[in-house]
Amino acid sequence: MLLEKTTRMNFLFDFYQALLTDKQRSYMELYYLDDHSLGEIAESYNISRQAVYDNIRRTEAMLEEYEDKLNLFEKFQQRQQVLKQLTDAIQDEASTIEAKLALVEQLKESD
């Protein structure tokens, strides 16, 4: 479960980091991408662990709100799924041209 949350936060951060402040971006990069502890981040910014924790939790909530409104990650996942199906269909000689074209249309609609 923790790995799933970390992976989700990394994707959300990739999609929405431009909407964050420099401080939020820095804390999230250190915590999620560089795997620093709350204590390490707090020490480098000369603030409390609790302040870092609160900032990261607020930023996570903001990222989830952005995703609720914009759905960039969800659309990305859907495109990845259709791309996989299309790749499988191309490799499957029994798959019809119509089936492959239907998958291409799904990709077009996902934009």
Side-chain angles (χ1 to χ4, degrees):
M1 184 68 184
L2 182 60
L3 182 60
E4 286 178 17
K5 179 184 178 185
T6 299
T7 301
R8 179 175 176 79
M9 279 300 130
N10 282 327
F11 271 109
L12 293 181
F13 181 73
D14 283 347
F15 284 112
Y16 302 114
Q17 67 177 301
L19 302 174
L20 302 176
T21 66
D22 289 342
K23 184 169 72 169
Q24 289 169 325
R25 200 168 23 257
S26 179
Y27 289 176
M28 294 297 282
E29 284 175 358
L30 290 170
Y31 188 71
Y32 280 107
L33 301 177
D34 299 340
D35 202 29
H36 286 227
S37 70
L38 296 174
E40 290 170 324
I41 299 168
E43 189 176 312
S44 65
Y45 281 90
N46 202 25
I47 58 173
S48 70
R49 277 181 85 259
Q50 188 64 45
V52 173
Y53 176 83
D54 291 344
N55 188 289
I56 288 173
R57 294 299 164 250
R58 278 193 308 275
T59 304
E60 289 171 346
M62 287 175 66
L63 292 173
E64 290 292 353
E65 284 179 35
Y66 294 145
E67 177 61 13
D68 287 344
K69 291 179 175 126
L70 301 172
N71 297 310
L72 296 179
F73 180 49
E74 181 182 336
K75 289 174 185 175
F76 169 78
Q77 288 180 306
Q78 290 170 350
R79 282 191 305 275
Q80 292 301 107
Q81 185 177 6
V82 174
L83 278 171
K84 184 189 178 326
Q85 291 172 344
L86 182 57
T87 301
D88 293 345
I90 290 169
Q91 292 172 346
D92 179 8
E93 293 178 17
S95 179
T96 66
I97 291 289
E98 290 79 14
K100 294 170 188 170
L101 289 174
L103 291 167
V104 170
E105 285 303 314
Q106 275 186 311
L107 276 178
K108 286 179 183 177
E109 291 170 10
S110 70
D111 284 335

